[in-house]
Amino acid sequence: MARSEFTCDCNIIHQDVVNDALSKMPDVNTFNKLAELFKLIGDTTRCKILFALDQREMCVCDLANVLNMTKSSISHQLATLRKNEIVKCRKSGKEVYYTLDDNHIVELFEIGLEHINHKELERRKNNEKI
Amino acid sequence: MARSEFTCDCNIIHQDVVNDALSKMPDVNTFNKLAELFKLIGDTTRCKILFALDQREMCVCDLANVLNMTKSSISHQLATLRKNEIVKCRKSGKEVYYTLDDNHIVELFEIGLEHINHKELERRKNNEKI
DNA sequence: ATTATAGTTGAATAACTATTCACTTGTCAA
DNA sequence: TTGACAAGTGAATAGTTATTCAACTATAAT
């Protein structure tokens, strides 16, 4: 295993375990895209934007008011969401209206919320025991 | 609306839309926790660790070999995952064996992968058209 | 035409974070 | 007891990124 001699600073204890895992690991590109996707949702501001847009179409100004932030800040975030095809927009007069491009994101959202609620419940159960 | 006079730099265009969204928004704490959760998965290294641990229990050394990174780096990441109750560990001799604490994470993983594959398929379809 | 407003954008700053490095702890084997 | 090695950790560094600020464009209204 020439590979681990250089960057990894330890011996292989369980050769079989390591080999098995290596054979099942998706390629680097997949991991990068996956991490990128989660990182995109992993920001409070963007979470709020996505939640708001899940209700209905909104212009930048609406979002700025809902989140109580500047138009510029919202616009920057919308730009990154647009680049990653998470939201799309249509122009009407002076306003630009945004909607969710992909409803997969909402699905992720909901499972995330479920996880948080689950953890919260568990925490409360443990507190009761004490 | 005193609130928007201070930090938001624009007038409210659609008062009804803004009010409706505000009434439906979860509290700040929920958004923070949700973003935190996604941020936790939104890192290539941690993604790989979680994927590997989804296969089976592994010690730090195994993970270091699978990811081809230093033990220290892996250990740091495992510490954050542990603090957030995403992984748990058991000690056995000199080794510390890690497993996933919560299988919700894997669910999130799978939907994320689905999303990526879906996008990839769409992209290929569009390329064929041209 | 001029003014006002919605939205975008590039640069700068400040805050955050992944990795590295050097060191420490704990356990096993000789 | 000593040496070797797995793992953890605090501090430092380097890279990333959210927000701010100051323009700028485009559209609508007077």
Side-chain angles (χ1 to χ4, degrees):
Chain A
M1 267 262 164
R3 198 181 137 271
S4 50
E5 279 171 30
F6 300 106
T7 52
C8 174
D9 60 343
C10 56
N11 302 318
I12 297 180
I13 307 183
H14 311 98
Q15 183 79 58
D16 52 331
V17 171
V18 172
N19 285 343
D20 187 57
L22 277 171
S23 72
K24 284 174 184 162
M25 294 285 274
D27 62 305
V28 188
N29 211 298
T30 303
F31 277 120
N32 285 338
K33 279 186 189 168
L34 197 61
E36 198 65 35
L37 172 65
F38 285 111
K39 208 180 292 179
L40 223 52
I41 315 178
D43 173 83
T44 314
T45 302
R46 286 193 294 269
C47 264
K48 287 180 189 167
I49 291 176
L50 295 174
F51 192 93
L53 292 182
D54 188 34
Q55 317 278 332
R56 65 162 97 186
E57 184 183 64
M58 283 192 189
C59 67
V60 179
C61 228
D62 292 341
L63 285 167
N65 275 289
V66 171
L67 303 211
N68 204 27
M69 292 175 74
T70 62
K71 276 182 297 178
S72 176
S73 187
I74 299 289
S75 187
H76 274 296
Q77 296 292 8
L78 286 170
T80 55
L81 290 172
R82 228 185 318 144
K83 268 176 219 147
N84 289 279
E85 300 177 285
I86 307 270
V87 301
K88 58 187 170 197
C89 61
R90 71 176 178 88
K91 206 167 181 180
S92 167
K94 277 193 290 183
E95 285 96 41
V96 178
Y97 291 91
Y98 282 85
T99 47
L100 293 182
D101 189 358
D102 196 306
N103 280 88
H104 271 127
I105 306 298
V106 181
E107 221 181 309
L108 278 172
F109 241 83
E110 278 161 16
I111 296 181
L113 273 171
E114 228 173 84
H115 171 82
I116 288 172
N117 291 334
H118 175 75
K119 277 281 159 199
E120 184 63 23
L121 260 167
E122 234 176 30
R123 211 163 54 79
R124 280 189 201 166
K125 247 195 291 180
N126 288 338
N127 281 351
E128 273 173 26
K129 277 182 196 165
I130 304 161
Chain B
M1 266 266 161
R3 191 181 142 275
S4 51
E5 279 171 29
F6 300 105
T7 51
C8 173
D9 60 344
C10 55
N11 302 319
I12 296 180
I13 307 183
H14 311 98
Q15 183 80 58
D16 53 330
V17 172
V18 172
N19 285 344
D20 186 58
L22 277 172
S23 74
K24 284 174 184 162
M25 295 285 273
D27 61 304
V28 188
N29 211 298
T30 303
F31 276 121
N32 285 338
K33 280 185 188 169
L34 197 61
E36 198 65 34
L37 172 65
F38 284 111
K39 207 179 290 178
L40 223 52
I41 315 179
D43 173 82
T44 314
T45 301
R46 285 192 295 266
C47 264
K48 286 180 189 168
I49 291 176
L50 295 175
F51 192 92
L53 292 182
D54 188 33
Q55 317 278 332
R56 68 162 96 186
E57 184 183 64
M58 283 193 189
C59 67
V60 179
C61 226
D62 291 342
L63 286 167
N65 275 288
V66 171
L67 304 209
N68 204 27
M69 292 175 72
T70 61
K71 276 183 296 178
S72 175
S73 187
I74 299 289
S75 189
H76 274 297
Q77 295 292 7
L78 286 170
T80 55
L81 290 171
R82 227 184 320 144
K83 268 175 219 148
N84 289 278
E85 297 176 286
I86 307 271
V87 301
K88 59 187 170 198
C89 60
R90 72 175 178 88
K91 207 166 179 178
S92 167
K94 277 193 290 184
E95 284 95 40
V96 177
Y97 292 91
Y98 283 84
T99 46
L100 293 182
D101 189 359
D102 196 307
N103 280 86
H104 271 126
I105 305 299
V106 180
E107 222 181 309
L108 278 172
F109 241 83
E110 278 161 16
I111 296 181
L113 273 170
E114 228 174 83
H115 171 83
I116 288 171
N117 291 334
H118 175 75
K119 278 281 157 198
E120 184 63 25
L121 260 168
E122 235 176 28
R123 211 163 54 78
R124 280 188 201 166
K125 247 195 291 180
N126 288 339
N127 281 350
E128 272 173 26
K129 277 182 194 163
I130 303 162

